[in-house]
Amino acid sequence: MSNASLSPLPSADRPDVTARLRDALLGASFTADGLLELLGAPAYAALSRSETVPALRATRGDTALELLVRLFLLQQPVPRARVADVLPVDGCLESGWLDRAGDDEVTATVDVRPYGGPGGEDWFIVSDLGCAVGGAGGIGSHAEGVVLGVGGASTTLAGLTVRTPVAAALDLGTGSGIQALHAAAHATRVTATDVNPRALHIAALTLALSGAPAADLREGSLYEPVDADATYDLVVSNPPFVISPGARLTYRDGGMGGDDLCRSLVQQTGERLNEGGFAHFLANWQHVEGEEWTDRLRAWVPRGCDAWIVQREVQDVTQYAELWLRDAGDHRGDPAAYQARYGAWLDEFEARKVRAVGFGWITLRRTAAAEPSVVVEEWPHPVEQPLGETVRTHFDRVDYLRSHDDAALLEAHFTLAGEVVQEQVGLPGAEDPEHVVLRQNRGMRRATRVDTVGAGFAGVCDGTMSAGRILDAIAQLVGEDPVALRDRTPAQIRLLVEQGFLEPA
């Protein structure tokens, strides 16, 4: 399959047909909830892994919903006469949503996946055939301009994004339009860019079929298509961040060497954000011999921005190459060609002295602070999505701590965050624990080790007493000098506030 053999796309200039198609899909319960109820959790989850057999078995009946799942998600031809009972079939054929298959059947020209918005909205994500249910499914090795649908990266980024009302939002590398769709729910104006004109067309279909306002769609790389002086309150991007030799696949390979695309994207964003504006990215970064990965990422952060960077996963170069070779379906082809491509990836890494590749999240916030906060950390453990509110409150705490020195902290009042539990670790029967761990059951689900004073302090924080008075009481209880305790504890209080265990009252 080449770019020329990708299916022709439906017209983006037939809003009447698109609106009627949307109404028909909703009328047949072709929604995220309806899909889950029809398929059941195992088959529904299998779709996200690009496994369609369970869903095929679950849609062997003749209901309208089963028909639509076979048509738009499983790429099965269905009887035209039966489709006519469910959809405006003539309009869908004329505008290109459907195509004729033989004399009495029709097929879909694009995948359409039901997607539930954060406020309970019934949205639809349009993508190329074979790409709605978990990735390219091996077609990507031949279809450079293919447009993927909803994947784990898409939903991760959507969940990370701070969702407050804004005037202007920008989605860089919009793909199927999922981030622009989310932004349209809380932004007055949405601009979306992509180097792939096919992606811009599909993004327009996603927005229209979801009943969302149209976005300003512009062709080009990163910030090139937007006005030179344009600034935004929100920037989001799930860029083609894969570190690869060459640029075979538009949706995946950025075409720059190493992690230069992600670095350039982050560095260029500072001047594009309005005061207090947020930028959210998914990214890969190199772990280079003789260099701390945290130092590498700190160097990416533009001036005038707070940053929170979280490394979620690290793969050695062989794991990384194999992952993306499988993504392109190269493992299914000629063994000699596969070995040659594998070797090219390893040659690229060896030339750059790369020993591993990290994956994670980068959030920037434009600030007027004299000393911006840059937090770079590794947290590979499960978290609670959506995390947008957790991200927002992280930066609120940054502002709070930046404006409170140790003396001010001791005068402040705090409350223990919700759903924090204490764990004590030690030998069975021992009088005192070896150490105490505070653990969150919400948000980042962090765990942090504290001493007995820190645990006791956190346990009595209910907002009624200042931190200093609590420490004085603890000092009296344990027979310690209160001045010494006040002197050494603010650092621990600061850490508990920074990580969200304590909240300013």
Side-chain angles (χ1 to χ4, degrees):
M1 184 187 298
S2 66
N3 276 349
S5 64
L6 288 168
S7 296
L9 295 174
S11 171
D13 300 320
R14 290 293 304 273
D16 56 328
V17 175
T18 303
R20 290 164 57 205
L21 174 57
R22 172 176 170 77
D23 289 343
L25 297 178
L26 293 176
S29 297
F30 188 64
T31 64
D33 289 342
L35 198 62
L36 179 59
E37 183 177 352
L38 171 68
L39 300 181
Y44 188 82
L47 282 179
S48 67
R49 303 190 300 270
S50 300
E51 297 292 347
T52 59
V53 172
L56 284 167
R57 292 172 63 86
T59 56
R60 289 177 289 190
D62 194 41
T63 67
L65 181 54
E66 288 171 306
L67 181 88
L68 293 176
V69 173
R70 292 199 301 272
L71 179 66
F72 284 117
L73 282 180
L74 303 178
Q75 289 84 62
Q76 300 297 302
V78 295
R80 173 174 175 165
R82 183 70 184 95
V83 174
D85 295 334
V86 182
L87 302 178
V89 65
D90 291 336
C92 288
L93 285 166
E94 291 170 8
S95 60
W97 287 98
L98 300 177
D99 198 4
R100 292 175 176 83
D103 295 332
D104 58 357
E105 291 186 317
V106 295
T107 59
T109 57
V110 288
D111 277 351
V112 177
R113 177 168 179 172
Y115 180 78
E121 302 92 344
D122 288 317
W123 289 339
F124 300 98
I125 309 299
V126 180
S127 62
D128 271 313
L129 292 174
C131 297
V133 292
I139 70 170
S141 58
H142 305 293
E144 294 85 354
V146 69
V147 180
L148 302 190
V150 181
S154 301
T155 55
T156 293
L157 180 59
L160 285 172
T161 303
V162 174
R163 300 295 176 190
T164 54
V166 295
L170 175 63
D171 175 15
L172 296 171
T174 190
S176 64
I178 181 173
Q179 307 305 329
L181 179 59
H182 275 277
H186 64 102
T188 304
R189 300 186 309 278
V190 177
T191 302
T193 72
D194 206 291
V195 295
N196 184 1
R198 186 176 182 87
L200 296 175
H201 190 131
I202 284 180
L205 296 175
T206 289
L207 291 166
L209 192 59
S210 298
D216 179 6
L217 302 172
R218 301 191 179 194
E219 183 180 347
S221 177
L222 303 182
Y223 288 103
E224 289 175 3
V226 300
D227 297 340
D229 58 350
T231 57
Y232 304 88
D233 307 297
L234 174 67
V235 176
V236 293
S237 185
N238 178 16
F241 54 65
V242 177
I243 299 170
S244 60
R248 292 173 59 206
L249 306 179
T250 304
Y251 74 87
R252 193 190 74 176
D253 308 308
M256 297 186 187
D259 52 17
D260 285 353
L261 184 137
C262 291
R263 176 186 54 79
S264 297
L265 173 60
V266 173
Q267 290 181 336
Q268 292 174 22
T269 296
E271 62 187 19
R272 295 292 189 164
L273 283 176
N274 293 325
E275 186 71 27
F278 283 95
H280 304 274
F281 311 113
L282 301 185
N284 274 177
W285 43 78
Q286 299 173 148
H287 286 228
V288 179
E289 291 180 17
E291 177 186 41
E292 289 293 331
W293 69 270
T294 54
D295 293 339
R296 184 180 192 84
L297 289 174
R298 286 179 183 277
W300 288 11
V301 178
R303 294 179 60 186
C305 287
D306 293 324
W308 185 19
I309 302 173
V310 182
Q311 180 167 273
R312 295 287 290 159
E313 184 180 1
V314 180
Q315 291 184 325
D316 68 46
V317 293
T318 60
Q319 292 173 309
Y320 189 79
E322 291 162 13
L323 169 68
W324 295 109
L325 288 167
R326 287 194 301 271
D327 171 80
D330 291 329
H331 62 304
R332 300 173 182 166
D334 174 35
Y338 173 77
Q339 291 178 8
R341 285 185 174 139
Y342 198 153
W345 283 69
L346 297 186
D347 288 343
E348 176 84 2
F349 288 131
E350 184 176 345
R352 295 179 177 275
K353 298 183 178 180
V354 177
R355 55 182 175 80
V357 177
F359 168 82
W361 319 322
I362 298 175
T363 298
L364 305 178
R365 185 190 61 168
R366 188 73 183 177
T367 180
E371 296 185 14
S373 165
V374 178
V375 176
V376 184
E377 62 176 319
E378 184 166 24
W379 187 252
H381 309 293
V383 299
E384 180 191 42
Q385 283 277 30
L387 271 174
E389 183 62 13
T390 299
V391 173
R392 187 191 66 78
T393 56
H394 166 87
F395 289 94
D396 287 347
R397 294 192 299 272
V398 165
D399 287 340
Y400 179 86
L401 292 172
R402 193 155 43 200
S403 63
H404 287 70
D405 59 16
D406 287 354
L409 281 183
L410 292 175
E411 293 297 321
H413 295 236
F414 300 96
T415 58
L416 185 66
E419 298 194 39
V420 172
V421 297
Q422 176 178 306
E423 300 173 357
Q424 297 188 170
V425 180
L427 293 173
E431 184 175 344
D432 297 313
E434 293 178 12
H435 61 266
V436 178
V437 173
L438 299 182
R439 187 178 301 276
Q440 301 168 346
N441 287 316
R442 303 297 304 273
M444 290 292 286
R445 293 178 173 158
R446 294 186 184 277
T448 191
R449 185 170 172 173
V450 294
D451 60 21
T452 53
V453 169
F457 177 88
V460 298
C461 279
D462 60 3
T464 60
M465 295 174 60
S466 70
R469 287 186 61 194
I470 293 175
L471 290 179
D472 290 344
I474 292 175
Q476 185 175 7
L477 184 65
V478 300
E480 188 168 340
D481 179 5
V483 175
L485 196 60
R486 278 174 170 257
D487 186 56
R488 68 177 174 85
T489 307
Q492 192 166 193
I493 296 174
R494 193 171 291 276
L495 177 65
L496 292 175
V497 173
E498 177 184 321
Q499 296 192 344
F501 289 93
L502 296 178
E503 299 173 349

PDB file of all heavy atoms in Angstrom, residues 72-85:
ATOM      1  N   PHE A  72     -17.930   0.143  10.657  1.00  0.00           N
ATOM      2  CA  PHE A  72     -17.001   1.246  10.912  1.00  0.00           C
ATOM      3  C   PHE A  72     -15.786   0.873  11.756  1.00  0.00           C
ATOM      4  O   PHE A  72     -14.783   1.587  11.741  1.00  0.00           O
ATOM      5  CB  PHE A  72     -17.738   2.400  11.598  1.00  0.00           C
ATOM      6  CG  PHE A  72     -18.601   3.200  10.670  1.00  0.00           C
ATOM      7  CD1 PHE A  72     -19.972   3.258  10.853  1.00  0.00           C
ATOM      8  CD2 PHE A  72     -18.048   3.884   9.595  1.00  0.00           C
ATOM      9  CE1 PHE A  72     -20.781   4.008   9.999  1.00  0.00           C
ATOM     10  CE2 PHE A  72     -18.845   4.635   8.737  1.00  0.00           C
ATOM     11  CZ  PHE A  72     -20.205   4.697   8.938  1.00  0.00           C
ATOM     12  N   LEU A  73     -15.855  -0.215  12.507  1.00  0.00           N
ATOM     13  CA  LEU A  73     -14.714  -0.600  13.340  1.00  0.00           C
ATOM     14  C   LEU A  73     -13.998  -1.848  12.843  1.00  0.00           C
ATOM     15  O   LEU A  73     -12.794  -1.983  13.024  1.00  0.00           O
ATOM     16  CB  LEU A  73     -15.167  -0.823  14.784  1.00  0.00           C
ATOM     17  CG  LEU A  73     -15.406   0.426  15.624  1.00  0.00           C
ATOM     18  CD1 LEU A  73     -15.850   0.031  17.018  1.00  0.00           C
ATOM     19  CD2 LEU A  73     -14.147   1.278  15.704  1.00  0.00           C
ATOM     20  N   LEU A  74     -14.737  -2.751  12.232  1.00  0.00           N
ATOM     21  CA  LEU A  74     -14.150  -4.039  11.853  1.00  0.00           C
ATOM     22  C   LEU A  74     -13.951  -4.185  10.353  1.00  0.00           C
ATOM     23  O   LEU A  74     -13.492  -5.230   9.886  1.00  0.00           O
ATOM     24  CB  LEU A  74     -15.035  -5.175  12.385  1.00  0.00           C
ATOM     25  CG  LEU A  74     -15.271  -5.144  13.896  1.00  0.00           C
ATOM     26  CD1 LEU A  74     -16.207  -6.275  14.320  1.00  0.00           C
ATOM     27  CD2 LEU A  74     -13.956  -5.232  14.653  1.00  0.00           C
ATOM     28  N   GLN A  75     -14.303  -3.155   9.587  1.00  0.00           N
ATOM     29  CA  GLN A  75     -14.086  -3.120   8.129  1.00  0.00           C
ATOM     30  C   GLN A  75     -14.720  -4.290   7.389  1.00  0.00           C
ATOM     31  O   GLN A  75     -14.123  -4.859   6.469  1.00  0.00           O
ATOM     32  CB  GLN A  75     -12.584  -3.055   7.800  1.00  0.00           C
ATOM     33  CG  GLN A  75     -11.957  -1.725   8.137  1.00  0.00           C
ATOM     34  CD  GLN A  75     -11.554  -1.652   9.594  1.00  0.00           C
ATOM     35  OE1 GLN A  75     -10.709  -2.423  10.036  1.00  0.00           O
ATOM     36  NE2 GLN A  75     -12.139  -0.736  10.337  1.00  0.00           N
ATOM     37  N   GLN A  76     -15.920  -4.641   7.791  1.00  0.00           N
ATOM     38  CA  GLN A  76     -16.639  -5.727   7.132  1.00  0.00           C
ATOM     39  C   GLN A  76     -17.662  -5.148   6.155  1.00  0.00           C
ATOM     40  O   GLN A  76     -18.344  -4.168   6.477  1.00  0.00           O
ATOM     41  CB  GLN A  76     -17.368  -6.583   8.172  1.00  0.00           C
ATOM     42  CG  GLN A  76     -16.458  -7.224   9.193  1.00  0.00           C
ATOM     43  CD  GLN A  76     -15.494  -8.191   8.559  1.00  0.00           C
ATOM     44  OE1 GLN A  76     -15.900  -9.143   7.902  1.00  0.00           O
ATOM     45  NE2 GLN A  76     -14.209  -7.948   8.749  1.00  0.00           N
ATOM     46  N   PRO A  77     -17.785  -5.715   4.956  1.00  0.00           N
ATOM     47  CA  PRO A  77     -18.880  -5.296   4.070  1.00  0.00           C
ATOM     48  C   PRO A  77     -20.223  -5.727   4.667  1.00  0.00           C
ATOM     49  O   PRO A  77     -20.326  -6.801   5.266  1.00  0.00           O
ATOM     50  CB  PRO A  77     -18.582  -6.028   2.765  1.00  0.00           C
ATOM     51  CG  PRO A  77     -17.719  -7.185   3.142  1.00  0.00           C
ATOM     52  CD  PRO A  77     -16.951  -6.775   4.368  1.00  0.00           C
ATOM     53  N   VAL A  78     -21.210  -4.880   4.530  1.00  0.00           N
ATOM     54  CA  VAL A  78     -22.534  -5.176   5.082  1.00  0.00           C
ATOM     55  C   VAL A  78     -23.587  -4.906   4.016  1.00  0.00           C
ATOM     56  O   VAL A  78     -23.370  -4.114   3.089  1.00  0.00           O
ATOM     57  CB  VAL A  78     -22.817  -4.328   6.345  1.00  0.00           C
ATOM     58  CG1 VAL A  78     -21.855  -4.687   7.474  1.00  0.00           C
ATOM     59  CG2 VAL A  78     -22.736  -2.857   6.030  1.00  0.00           C
ATOM     60  N   PRO A  79     -24.742  -5.559   4.111  1.00  0.00           N
ATOM     61  CA  PRO A  79     -25.779  -5.395   3.085  1.00  0.00           C
ATOM     62  C   PRO A  79     -26.272  -3.953   3.013  1.00  0.00           C
ATOM     63  O   PRO A  79     -26.626  -3.344   4.024  1.00  0.00           O
ATOM     64  CB  PRO A  79     -26.890  -6.340   3.552  1.00  0.00           C
ATOM     65  CG  PRO A  79     -26.209  -7.338   4.440  1.00  0.00           C
ATOM     66  CD  PRO A  79     -25.116  -6.586   5.104  1.00  0.00           C
ATOM     67  N   ARG A  80     -26.334  -3.422   1.793  1.00  0.00           N
ATOM     68  CA  ARG A  80     -26.780  -2.046   1.610  1.00  0.00           C
ATOM     69  C   ARG A  80     -28.212  -1.867   2.087  1.00  0.00           C
ATOM     70  O   ARG A  80     -28.538  -0.844   2.719  1.00  0.00           O
ATOM     71  CB  ARG A  80     -26.651  -1.646   0.150  1.00  0.00           C
ATOM     72  CG  ARG A  80     -27.252  -0.282  -0.138  1.00  0.00           C
ATOM     73  CD  ARG A  80     -27.013   0.196  -1.531  1.00  0.00           C
ATOM     74  NE  ARG A  80     -27.711   1.456  -1.773  1.00  0.00           N
ATOM     75  CZ  ARG A  80     -27.458   2.256  -2.800  1.00  0.00           C
ATOM     76  NH1 ARG A  80     -26.514   1.937  -3.687  1.00  0.00           N
ATOM     77  NH2 ARG A  80     -28.138   3.385  -2.967  1.00  0.00           N
ATOM     78  N   ALA A  81     -29.053  -2.819   1.810  1.00  0.00           N
ATOM     79  CA  ALA A  81     -30.460  -2.683   2.203  1.00  0.00           C
ATOM     80  C   ALA A  81     -30.597  -2.582   3.713  1.00  0.00           C
ATOM     81  O   ALA A  81     -31.433  -1.825   4.219  1.00  0.00           O
ATOM     82  CB  ALA A  81     -31.264  -3.872   1.665  1.00  0.00           C
ATOM     83  N   ARG A  82     -29.772  -3.313   4.445  1.00  0.00           N
ATOM     84  CA  ARG A  82     -29.832  -3.260   5.905  1.00  0.00           C
ATOM     85  C   ARG A  82     -29.273  -1.931   6.414  1.00  0.00           C
ATOM     86  O   ARG A  82     -29.803  -1.340   7.350  1.00  0.00           O
ATOM     87  CB  ARG A  82     -29.036  -4.435   6.492  1.00  0.00           C
ATOM     88  CG  ARG A  82     -29.096  -4.507   8.014  1.00  0.00           C
ATOM     89  CD  ARG A  82     -30.479  -4.906   8.514  1.00  0.00           C
ATOM     90  NE  ARG A  82     -30.538  -4.865   9.983  1.00  0.00           N
ATOM     91  CZ  ARG A  82     -30.972  -3.821  10.681  1.00  0.00           C
ATOM     92  NH1 ARG A  82     -31.384  -2.731  10.052  1.00  0.00           N
ATOM     93  NH2 ARG A  82     -31.011  -3.873  11.994  1.00  0.00           N
ATOM     94  N   VAL A  83     -28.195  -1.428   5.785  1.00  0.00           N
ATOM     95  CA  VAL A  83     -27.620  -0.150   6.174  1.00  0.00           C
ATOM     96  C   VAL A  83     -28.629   0.976   5.966  1.00  0.00           C
ATOM     97  O   VAL A  83     -28.707   1.922   6.753  1.00  0.00           O
ATOM     98  CB  VAL A  83     -26.325   0.130   5.383  1.00  0.00           C
ATOM     99  CG1 VAL A  83     -25.805   1.537   5.671  1.00  0.00           C
ATOM    100  CG2 VAL A  83     -25.252  -0.885   5.730  1.00  0.00           C
ATOM    101  N   ALA A  84     -29.426   0.856   4.912  1.00  0.00           N
ATOM    102  CA  ALA A  84     -30.409   1.895   4.613  1.00  0.00           C
ATOM    103  C   ALA A  84     -31.441   2.046   5.716  1.00  0.00           C
ATOM    104  O   ALA A  84     -32.080   3.094   5.843  1.00  0.00           O
ATOM    105  CB  ALA A  84     -31.083   1.600   3.282  1.00  0.00           C
ATOM    106  N   ASP A  85     -31.621   0.991   6.506  1.00  0.00           N
ATOM    107  CA  ASP A  85     -32.545   1.083   7.644  1.00  0.00           C
ATOM    108  C   ASP A  85     -31.952   1.870   8.808  1.00  0.00           C
ATOM    109  O   ASP A  85     -32.695   2.253   9.722  1.00  0.00           O
ATOM    110  CB  ASP A  85     -32.896  -0.331   8.147  1.00  0.00           C
ATOM    111  CG  ASP A  85     -33.679  -1.134   7.123  1.00  0.00           C
ATOM    112  OD1 ASP A  85     -34.357  -0.510   6.283  1.00  0.00           O
ATOM    113  OD2 ASP A  85     -33.590  -2.378   7.164  1.00  0.00           O
TER     114      ASP A  85
END
